[in-house]
């Protein structure tokens, strides 16, 4: 009872043995093996456990549709669960472990589920675990969750690199079997730019598995010749180990290339996986066909596999899957497998043919049981015999492997990902690729050809047609004779009735025929319902192996054609793709770009602590020696600005330079308040609305010349405002003569604020900046001492005498240094965004904490800025709607605690005194809070229902989330210098 | 057939051969008291509550495909009531309460799993916003907790605390939030409605709405004309198309949202977790698949499939939030068409036509609303009177200036 | 459409470079009644089929484009600069 490596043959390198481990045990394989072929060569048939019943399982395929032989490869942070052993390329030092078993693969406690299986039919979850009511979450679900899943993740950061690329070609050929190779070569010889991609690590597809003679050489050697010629052509890109997983709009294909998944220690200089977006003018799907398992009792025992898989293990890997192999077939594939095995000296137990007769060649001395069916299998962890029924008589046959041939299903997945469904062919007894237009066709067995020679011809013909179509002179391919082909046709046999053991259609999810029956009886008749109710087709192979059988069986139960049942929906991904490959390099610290201000260096050398603000890093405060908390620093900075002066980096504000004869008119329509009459040399605070009347953003805009303005935005909305202006200019008012560009990154901008600001600024600027010469809201180009032209704005976000100075970005740090130096004797300090925030809250200026997308100008106390006499501005026309002018809207107010030592926080809500908490009694919320060093207690800005009428009212600042209720007094939102006496000096 | 421990055992002993259909497959009657267009979660729950709560059983649910073929069968299965606005929060809280009693109510295990929904925040400003939202919940008696970074770490140590572009500062946790087995919701409601006499008519497409003297008299369908006293639309992404048959012009735009599931993995993610420095949400199903999603594809689309750029973006956010996902493999991506409203909130209301009722605008948050949506819609249809908790979800709120703009993004549907 | 857009200024570019604004709806004249503004801002035809939508080439020329396409099949019929589109619409009116 063994599977074993034959002494010769195959496409493995016998001089290059590879040591690897499986479940801790050491094995030897050969270069060219997959993990599965190497394990089989070592007589390790048992490779996994099924999902629900934990039945012992071995590989059923030799390809990417494998549902059973899933293992975890690698260790530590390189641990990768659910790798299909049937396609995993073997390398020295590979460590694999089996999954979904406890305590071990051969003794798995979970297999007790099998005994309970009569209770666990399709849909059983939905009908049970409901009593008592609370037990689902407490008892049942935790138990089910523990049993769920396949492989284990380690949840550590991935040490490897991933990358992405685009590729462009005239023709993409998916699959490098006979049709794909010949298609690629035919097109390439015409001069077409070709990309040939194949999921395997060796090109050739079925040519590597079939025992044929093509043009006088073996199929594998013939493939080698084709590949060599392709490799020699400059217009061909060969992409082995590359799975084309998705077909997207505009002939864009998603593909993942496994660059270094077959090495023990990936080079850090290369990605382990590379995502390709392949843009193709034309594409040929040459993905081959999938052999269908037969559905009979016990068809899941280790040792039962498709006939094609048995041939692949034999011819490609030189592994006999058993020493006495039985065959159960409904077509020629079973006979071919028997013949190939017999030729290599493997005993054939019998060929059980479901058909009454066939022309297939029977190997000498092999018994054929026609009109027969396998009704049961023997053995537990490995098949050791069959029960065959023929004409009502049963017979036991001993064997240690069973090859099953259930017919072929073209692999049409990619062509069905964009809404088209495959089409049932009575003639082929299979679902065929739909017509998806003239740019993408199937070729070879993916298009239903039965033989290798037909596949070669089909690939060549379809490539020639595309070449002509693309304007190339078509090349007529020379297709050599193929000797030794077999007849791949088959007679449908959907399942063998009367089985005592389960007859599986979906191996991994343990869905068997009677589950399909339950679904039909319970009205889950639509194939999508059947799938979702039974989970057939929802395993990691997404029904590649079993779906057609499911459809055929359901059709049989309903007495209709499979055409009437139809398929479920094909969706990406053809085979599973790692998060890593799809994410590429944009992860972790590189998830988003990092922006630093031109004054970043200045802030850094002044000791700033930085904080993320969108993509920016902004200086948040500047700790000095002896300061224990951030509050110590911020309080000092605020006091210093109010008493002396401070310098703050405001470069992150959006800055947009606007020119044009109609620039003023444009701004007048963009802002709610008037801009037509803004004099040259003046700045004005402006409010932008959305078209629905809500405030969008605010900032100052200055007129530097008759047709020249510079507009500022908040840091957060710089991009949105730019886009907004572009939209308005390009689509709403293209007739206005205006042009503008973002200059946010071109200027370093700093705010110098405090009573001593003018004295300090005078030492920097040559121009007269006395209050008379440069009053509040003045905005002009000035000359700095030393000759640098700069822009000076007398605007204030702190209520203090203040200037904003903008200089070309490269000069920013030098100018900031100069200001600090000039202000040293006046006690200047650097201050950050935290102090900036305190200063603005003290003055009641709003930010996006208040402009939250739900506030009108009037809500924020800016009702007078609504230029309703203007014929038009964005947001005007819907601003008078009932709900936007209602008396009970939330309005901006100030809050101060009744007891001065009490603290409250932003995000708290407001309640009337003695009111029970509820949404109906909710009066508003606290938008901004700070400790005011100027006043010596906490202050807040809040949005309060009818707030402006309620100045002086006592209110409860309710913060149930943080267990706090603080009585506060509603006040005007300006806490410091309400008369602006400090501003106008 | 009532499901019980006994029924399961009895069936097991008889080879599971005696299960009866979960619902009938009737031919349409000539006339119904109420016709509901759309056999998705909302349409089916509406039928269920009409029958169960309001005694109206002469009802048909008309579905052009199979029941549950829309978004109820194609979402990330999340339930929660962590809403901020008065127009939304009590409604979603009713929904959560109905979820909590659902299985006993309709005798079907939809696997309601209150494993918690955790929204991460990454800045002071975002913390304040979540605090505002959390307090809005608490003030209404809804559970919410504000967690700091260390509390988040205890719940989900695998998050990227140290090497993310945007640090995790904490999170807003609603413990009663969680997940539900989505398909089972449609099936449970369908079965419950059917048992109470509702006709569920699948594979029947509405092709026209017949009106006489300004009121609806019935619908033209691919199975012929079916009369009704009241017509209720619950057609999600196809709302505009159906509404147009009655000349409704709606504040709705149809968009595609993708969602994803990974291969089955042993349990590692115990809650629903959302990423605040982007837009990504993930949980792990009882079967072991990671179920997750991110933004919509941004362009209007009726195609139930998405684009690769959005797929890549989703995975970037996922790996950024949870670095350990990198070597897990994504099994399947799917796309659903969403009825995006102009303020991100739904509409449950009468229309300008007296006996035509409208339920739409669920954007991509409709799944969690399924019970309350059906309950309130049934209430409206049965009593011709709006349920208290859906009273703000009016069709005329845009015209009157009462948008329910939870995100503050304004009237651009693809931003909600 | 969903993967590649032929920008009239920059050539064929991937979707990632664009941000999508929404339906192309003509803004009413300033004197229009409130109802016209309400419809402009809130009501959408939302057809299933041919549809015109503003795409902003945010990571390219920063022009707004009118993408004329089918939102069921995702076929693109035309991509026009929005200003040109507006001027053509003006002429047509």
């Amino acid at each position: 009872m063994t599977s074993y490596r034959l002494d010769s043959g195959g496409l493995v390198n016998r001089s290059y043995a590879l040591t690897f481990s499986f479940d801790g045990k050491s094995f030897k394989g050969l270069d060219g093996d997959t993990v599965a072929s190497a394990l089989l060569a070592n007589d390790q048939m048992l490779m996994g456990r099924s999902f629900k019943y934990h039945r012992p399982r071995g590989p059923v395929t030799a390809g990417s549709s494998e549902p059973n032989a899933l293992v975890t490869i690698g260790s530590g942070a390189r641990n990768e669960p659910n790798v299909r052993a049937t396609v995993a390329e073997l390398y020295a030092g590979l460590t694999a472990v089996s999954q979904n078993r406890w305590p071990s693969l051969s003794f798995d406690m979970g297999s007790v589920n099998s005994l309970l299986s009569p209770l666990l039919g399709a849909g059983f979850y939905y009908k049970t675990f409901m009593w008592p009511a609370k037990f689902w979450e407490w008892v049942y679900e935790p138990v089910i969750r523990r049993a769920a899943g396949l492989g284990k993740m380690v949840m550590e950061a991935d040490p490897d690199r991933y990358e992405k690329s685009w590729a462009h070609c005239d023709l993409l050929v998916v699959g490098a079997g006979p049709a794909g190779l010949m298609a690629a070569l035919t097109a390439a010889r015409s001069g077409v730019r070709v990309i040939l991609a194949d999921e395997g690590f060796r090109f050739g597809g079925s040519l590597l598995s079939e025992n044929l003679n093509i043009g006088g050489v073996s199929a594998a050697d013939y493939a080698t010749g084709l590949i060599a010629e392709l490799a020699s052509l400059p217009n061909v890109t060969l992409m082995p180990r590359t799975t084309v997983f998705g077909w997207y709009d505009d002939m864009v294909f998603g593909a993942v290339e496994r660059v270094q998944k077959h090495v023990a220690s990936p080079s850090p200089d290369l990605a382990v996986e590379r995502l390709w977006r392949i843009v193709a003018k034309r594409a040929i799907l040459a993905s081959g066909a999938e052999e269908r398992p037969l559905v009979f009792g016990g068809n899941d025992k280790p040792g039962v596999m498709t006939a094609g898989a048995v041939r692949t293990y034999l011819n490609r890997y030189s592994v006999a899957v058993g020493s006495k192999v039985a065959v159960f077939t409904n077509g020629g594939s079973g006979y071919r497998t028997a013949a190939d095995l017999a030729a290599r000296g493997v005993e054939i137990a019998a060929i059980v043919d479901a058909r009454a007769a066939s022309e297939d060649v029977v190997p000498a001395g092999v018994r054929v049981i026609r009109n027969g069916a396998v009704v049961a299998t023997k053995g537990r962890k490995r098949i050791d015999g069959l029960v065959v029924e023929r004409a009502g008589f049963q017979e036991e046959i001993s064997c240690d492997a069973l090859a099953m041939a259930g017919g072929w299903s073209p692999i049409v997945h990619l062509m069905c990902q964009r809404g088209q469904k495959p089409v049932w062919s009575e003639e082929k007894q299979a679902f065929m690729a739909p017509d998806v237009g003239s740019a993408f066709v199937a070729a070879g067995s993916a298009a239903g050809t039965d033989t290798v020679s037909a596949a070669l011809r089909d690939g060549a013909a379809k490539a020639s047609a595309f070449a002509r179509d693309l304007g190339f002179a078509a090349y007529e391919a020379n297709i050599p004779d193929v000797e030794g082909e077999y007849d791949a046709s088959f007679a449908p046999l959907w399942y063998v009735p009367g089985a005592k053991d389960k007859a599986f259609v979906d191996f991994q999810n343990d869905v068997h025929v009677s589950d399909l029956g339950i679904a039909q009886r319970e009205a889950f008749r639509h194939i999508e319902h059947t799938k979702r109710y039974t989970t057939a087709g929802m395993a990691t192979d997404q029904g590649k192996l079993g779906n057609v059988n499911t459809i055929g069986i359901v059709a049989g139960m309903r007495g209709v054609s499979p055409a009437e049942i139809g398929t479920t929906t094909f969706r990406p991904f053809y085979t599973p793709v790692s998060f890593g490959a799809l994410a590429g390099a944009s992860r972790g610290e590189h998830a988003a770009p990092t922006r630093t201000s031109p004054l970043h260096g200045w802030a850094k050398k002044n000791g700033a602590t930085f904080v993320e603000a969108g993509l920016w890093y902004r200086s948040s405060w500047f700790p000095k020696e002896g300061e224990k908390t951030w509050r110590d620093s911020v309080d000092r900075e605020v006091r210093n600005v109010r008493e002396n002066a401070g310098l703050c980096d405001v470069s992150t504000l959006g800055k947009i330079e606007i020119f044009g004869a109609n620039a003023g008119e444009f701004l007048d329509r963009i802002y709610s308040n008037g801009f037509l009459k803004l004099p040259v040399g003046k700045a004005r605070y402006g409010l932008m609305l959305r078209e629905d009347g809500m405030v969008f953003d605010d900032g100052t805009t200055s007129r530097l010349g008759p047709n020249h303005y510079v507009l500022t935005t908040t840091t957060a909305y710089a991009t949105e405002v730019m886009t907004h202006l572009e939209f308005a200019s390009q689509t709403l008012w293209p007739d206005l003569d205006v042009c503008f560009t973002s200059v946010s990154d071109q200027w370093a901008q700093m705010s110098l604020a405090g009573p001593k600001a003018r004295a300090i600024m005078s030492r920097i600027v040559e121009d007269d900046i006395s209050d008379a010469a440069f009053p509040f809201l003045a905005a002009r180009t000035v000359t700095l001492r030393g000759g640098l032209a700069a822009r000076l704005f007398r605007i204030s976000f702190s209520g203090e005498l203040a200037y904003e100075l903008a200089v070309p970005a490269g000069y920013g740090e030098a100018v900031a240094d100069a200001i600090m130096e000039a202000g040293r004797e006046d006690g200047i300090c650097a201050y950050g965004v935290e102090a900036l925030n305190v200063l603005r809250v003290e003055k009641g200026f709003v930010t996006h904490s208040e402009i939250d997308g739900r506030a009108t100008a009037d809500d924020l106390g800016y009702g007078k800025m609504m230029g309703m006499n203007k014929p038009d501005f964005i947001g005007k026309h819907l601003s008078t709607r009932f709900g936007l002018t209602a008396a009970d809207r939330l309005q901006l107010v100030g809050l101060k605690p009744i007891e001065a030592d009490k603290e409250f926080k932003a995000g708290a809500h407001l309640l009337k005194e003695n009111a029970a908490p509820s949404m109906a009694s909710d009066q508003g919320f606290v938008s901004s809070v700070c400790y005011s060093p100027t006043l010596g207690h906490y202050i807040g800005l809040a949005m309060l229902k009818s707030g402006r009428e309620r100045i002086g009212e006592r209110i409860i600042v309710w913060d149930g989330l943080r267990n706090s209720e603080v009585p506060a007094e509603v006040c005007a939102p300006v806490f410091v210098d309400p008369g602006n006496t400090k501003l106008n000096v | 057939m009532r499901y019980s421990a006994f029924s399961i055992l009895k069936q097991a002993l008889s080879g599971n051969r005696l299960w009866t259909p979960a619902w009938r497959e009737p031919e349409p009657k000539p006339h119904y008291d109420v016709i509901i267009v759309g056999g998705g979660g909302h349409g089916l729950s509406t039928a269920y509550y009409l029958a169960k709560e309001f005694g109206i059983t002469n009802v048909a649910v008309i579905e052009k495909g199979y029941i549950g073929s829309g978004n109820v069968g194609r979402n990330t299965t999340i339930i929660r009531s962590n809403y901020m606005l008065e127009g939304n929060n009590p409604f979603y809280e009713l929904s959560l309460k109905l979820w909590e009693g659902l299985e006993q109510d309709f005798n079907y295990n939809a696997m309601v799993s209150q494993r918690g929904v955790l929204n991460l925040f990454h800045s002071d400003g975002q913390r304040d916003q979540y605090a505002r939202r959390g307090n809005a919940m608490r003030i209404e008696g809804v559970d919410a907790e504000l967690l700091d970074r260390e509390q988040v770490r205890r719940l989900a140590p695998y998050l990227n605390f140290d090497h993310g572009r945007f640090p995790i500062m904490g999170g807003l946790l609603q413990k009663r939030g969680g997940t539900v087995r989505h398909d089972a919701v449609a099936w449970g409601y369908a079965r419950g409605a059917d048992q109470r006499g509702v006709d569920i008519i699948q594979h029947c497409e509405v092709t026209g709405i017949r009106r006489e003297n300004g009121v609806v008299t019935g619908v033209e369908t691919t199975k012929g004309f079916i009369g009704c006293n009241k017509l209720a639309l619950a057609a999600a992404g196809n709302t505009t198309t159906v509404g147009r048959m009655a000349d409704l012009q709606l504040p709705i735009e149809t968009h595609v949202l993708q969602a994803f599931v990974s291969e089955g993995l042993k349990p590692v993610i115990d809650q629903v977790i959302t990423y605040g420095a982007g837009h990504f949400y993930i949980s792990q199903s009882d079967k072991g698949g990671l179920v997750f999603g991110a933004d919509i594809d941004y362009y209007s689309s009726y195609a139930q499939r998405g684009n690769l750029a959005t797929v890549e973006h989703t995975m970037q956010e996922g790996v950024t939030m949870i670095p350990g996902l990198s070597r897990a493999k994504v099994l399947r991506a799917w796309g659903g068409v969403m009825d995006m409203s102009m303020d991100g909130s739904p509409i449950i209301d009468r229309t300008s036509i007296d006996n035509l009722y409208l339920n739409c605008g669920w954007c991509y948050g409709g799944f969690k609303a399924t019970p309350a949506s059906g309950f309130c819609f049934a209430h409206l249809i049965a009593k011709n009177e709006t349920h208290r908790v859906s009273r703000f979800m009016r069709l005329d709120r845009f015209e009157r200036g009462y948008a329910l703009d939870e995100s503050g993004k304004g009237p651009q549907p693809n931003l909600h | 459409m969903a993967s590649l857009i032929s920008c009239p200024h920059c050539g064929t570019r991937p979707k990632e470079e664009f941000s999508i604004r929404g339906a192309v709806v003509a803004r009413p004249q300033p004197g229009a009644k409130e109802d016209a503004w309400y419809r402009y801002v809130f009501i959408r035809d939302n057809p299933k089929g041919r549809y015109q939508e503003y795409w902003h080439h945010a990571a390219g020329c920063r022009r707004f484009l009118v993408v004329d396409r089918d939102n069921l099949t995702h076929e693109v019929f035309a991509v026009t600069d929005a200003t040109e589109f507006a001027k053509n619409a003006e002429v047509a009116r």
Side-chain angles (χ1 to χ4, degrees), chain A residues 249-250 691 726 730 872 877, chain C residues 1-2 27 62 64 74 83:
Chain A
D249 293 329
D250 308 313
E691 201 72 270
E726 286 166 336
Q730 295 172 26
D872 191 12
H877 309 281
Chain C
M1 181 278 311
R27 191 171 185 267
R62 293 201 65 86
F64 274 87
H74 291 181
T83 295

Side-chain angles (χ1 to χ4, degrees), chain B residues 105-248:
Chain B
D105 190 73
F106 67 18
N107 179 234
Y108 204 74
N109 187 1
M111 300 176 216
V112 176
S113 171
Q114 292 181 285
R115 57 185 68 178
V117 172
L118 176 63
N119 308 120
L120 302 178
F121 58 78
H122 308 263
S123 70
D124 289 353
Q126 209 170 26
R127 177 203 57 215
D128 293 350
Q129 285 166 22
Y130 276 139
R132 178 182 171 195
R133 199 206 291 198
N135 273 318
M137 296 160 69
R138 290 286 285 265
I139 212 166
E140 188 67 9
V142 178
D143 75 304
E145 291 168 54
L146 199 65
L147 306 187
D148 65 20
R149 185 180 156 93
E150 290 314 308
Q151 289 169 307
V152 171
R153 198 193 289 272
R154 280 198 286 278
L155 285 182
Y158 49 78
L159 294 174
N160 190 359
F161 289 94
D162 302 318
H163 299 288
R165 172 71 175 78
F166 303 100
I168 294 166
M169 291 178 61
L172 182 68
L173 174 68
Q174 184 179 28
K175 281 189 179 155
R176 288 166 59 246
T179 60
V180 181
R181 169 79 182 95
H182 57 350
D183 286 323
V185 175
W187 303 337
Y189 276 124
R191 177 169 165 270
D194 174 89
Q195 284 174 347
R196 288 167 176 81
V198 171
D199 282 356
I200 294 167
I201 299 160
Q202 304 184 75
H203 311 295
C204 178
E205 185 169 357
V206 171
T207 54
I209 295 176
R210 195 184 285 180
R211 278 176 291 165
E212 283 165 33
N213 304 320
V215 297
V216 172
T217 56
V219 289
E220 314 285 352
T221 76
T222 48
K223 294 189 177 182
F225 175 78
I226 313 174
C228 65
N229 295 338
K230 293 180 175 181
L231 181 64
L233 307 183
N238 292 304
T239 294
T240 302
T241 310
V242 182
R244 191 173 286 127
M245 296 171 190
D247 297 323
L248 297 184

Side-chain angles (χ1 to χ4, degrees), chain C residues 58-71:
Chain C
C61 56
R62 293 201 65 86
R63 296 293 299 180
F64 274 87
L65 310 176
V66 172
V67 178
D68 182 1
R69 65 191 182 86
D70 187 304
N71 64 7

Side-chain angles (χ1 to χ4, degrees), chain A residues 627-783:
Chain A
E627 289 171 347
K628 292 193 180 67
T629 69
W630 67 274
R631 264 281 307 285
D632 292 344
S633 309
V634 172
D635 289 358
R636 170 186 49 76
E637 289 169 20
V638 170
R639 278 195 211 98
N640 201 65
V641 170
R642 296 253 181 253
E643 285 163 19
N644 299 309
L647 188 67
C648 182
D649 177 9
V650 293
S651 305
T652 58
L653 295 178
K655 299 178 276 295
I656 299 169
E657 196 104 358
I658 305 176
F659 298 92
N662 300 126
E665 172 67 25
F666 180 69
L667 288 168
D668 205 53
R669 297 185 196 180
I670 289 288
Y671 282 118
S672 73
N673 50 322
F675 269 79
L676 276 178
K677 292 177 188 159
L678 178 68
V680 173
K682 278 287 189 184
R684 179 168 290 173
Y685 176 70
L687 215 52
M688 279 182 208
L689 309 186
R690 296 191 309 236
E691 201 72 270
D692 66 347
M694 298 298 176
V695 180
F696 172 55
D697 199 43
D698 66 345
T700 56
T701 286
S702 305
R703 189 171 186 184
L704 299 180
N707 294 331
H708 178 196
Y709 297 78
V710 59
L711 177 152
T712 61
T713 76
T714 60
T715 299
Y717 273 61
T719 307
E720 282 86 344
V721 170
M722 183 67 190
T723 303
H724 181 67
L725 299 191
E726 286 166 336
F727 180 76
S729 154
Q730 295 172 26
T731 76
L732 304 182
W733 308 306
D735 49 326
L736 291 185
D737 175 13
V738 58
C739 62
F740 47 86
T741 187
S742 167
V743 294
S744 299
D745 291 296
Q746 277 66 33
W747 294 88
Q749 194 149 323
M750 56 209 97
S751 169
L752 177 64
K756 296 175 182 168
R758 181 179 295 123
I760 298 168
M761 193 58 85
S762 303
R763 296 175 197 131
I764 296 293
V765 176
E766 283 186 355
D767 306 50
D768 177 6
I769 57 164
S770 64
D771 191 45
F774 202 83
F776 183 53
L777 294 178
R780 283 206 293 273
T781 298
V782 296
T783 306

Side-chain angles (χ1 to χ4, degrees), chain B residues 4-299:
Chain B
S4 64
F6 176 70
S7 74
I8 306 260
L9 195 61
K10 187 175 146 201
Q11 288 290 339
L13 296 173
S14 58
N16 285 308
R17 288 203 179 83
L18 304 174
W19 290 111
T20 54
W23 47 78
R24 298 163 294 126
E25 291 175 324
E27 285 305 306
K29 293 192 274 191
H31 189 273
Y32 291 92
D33 291 341
V34 179
I35 288 178
I36 298 164
V37 180
H42 291 222
L44 292 167
S45 69
T46 302
Y48 175 79
Y49 291 116
L50 268 177
K52 179 166 180 286
E53 300 294 328
F54 302 99
I56 300 176
T57 57
N58 184 25
V59 174
V61 176
I62 298 184
E63 166 55 48
K64 73 178 162 117
Y66 57 95
I67 57 168
S69 55
N71 298 335
V72 73
R74 203 171 289 127
N75 60 69
T76 47
T77 79
I78 299 166
I79 60 167
R80 58 186 171 88
S81 64
N82 54 0
Y83 281 76
M84 184 172 79
L85 300 178
E86 189 185 0
N88 281 326
N89 180 297
F91 172 85
Y92 286 100
E93 179 58 15
L94 170 66
S95 211
L96 195 49
K97 290 216 167 81
L98 289 169
W99 284 121
E100 285 169 334
L102 189 65
E103 287 142 354
Q104 305 298 319
D105 190 73
F106 67 18
N107 179 234
Y108 204 74
N109 187 1
M111 300 176 216
V112 176
S113 171
Q114 292 181 285
R115 57 185 68 178
V117 172
L118 176 63
N119 308 120
L120 302 178
F121 58 78
H122 308 263
S123 70
D124 289 353
Q126 209 170 26
R127 177 203 57 215
D128 293 350
Q129 285 166 22
Y130 276 139
R132 178 182 171 195
R133 199 206 291 198
N135 273 318
M137 296 160 69
R138 290 286 285 265
I139 212 166
E140 188 67 9
V142 178
D143 75 304
E145 291 168 54
L146 199 65
L147 306 187
D148 65 20
R149 185 180 156 93
E150 290 314 308
Q151 289 169 307
V152 171
R153 198 193 289 272
R154 280 198 286 278
L155 285 182
Y158 49 78
L159 294 174
N160 190 359
F161 289 94
D162 302 318
H163 299 288
R165 172 71 175 78
F166 303 100
I168 294 166
M169 291 178 61
L172 182 68
L173 174 68
Q174 184 179 28
K175 281 189 179 155
R176 288 166 59 246
T179 60
V180 181
R181 169 79 182 95
H182 57 350
D183 286 323
V185 175
W187 303 337
Y189 276 124
R191 177 169 165 270
D194 174 89
Q195 284 174 347
R196 288 167 176 81
V198 171
D199 282 356
I200 294 167
I201 299 160
Q202 304 184 75
H203 311 295
C204 178
E205 185 169 357
V206 171
T207 54
I209 295 176
R210 195 184 285 180
R211 278 176 291 165
E212 283 165 33
N213 304 320
V215 297
V216 172
T217 56
V219 289
E220 314 285 352
T221 76
T222 48
K223 294 189 177 182
F225 175 78
I226 313 174
C228 65
N229 295 338
K230 293 180 175 181
L231 181 64
L233 307 183
N238 292 304
T239 294
T240 302
T241 310
V242 182
R244 191 173 286 127
M245 296 171 190
D247 297 323
L248 297 184
Q249 292 178 311
L250 299 170
I252 298 289
E253 208 171 84
T254 299
H255 283 261
V256 62
L257 173 72
Q258 299 189 63
F260 307 86
V261 66
S262 78
E263 295 181 334
L265 297 158
K266 291 291 172 197
V268 281
I269 294 177
D270 296 330
Q271 298 82 17
V272 178
I273 305 187
T274 75
Y275 187 52
H279 189 184
F280 178 82
Y281 35 96
I282 188 166
S283 67
Q284 188 169 15
S285 78
D286 284 342
K287 208 164 159 270
L290 301 170
V291 182
F292 57 98
D295 285 312
I296 54 175
D297 284 12
Y298 287 115
Y299 47 74

Side-chain angles (χ1 to χ4, degrees), chain A residues 468-481:
Chain A
R468 271 194 300 275
D469 190 22
L470 291 166
F472 295 87
Y475 175 89
E476 288 312 321
N478 170 32
I479 310 291
D481 290 338

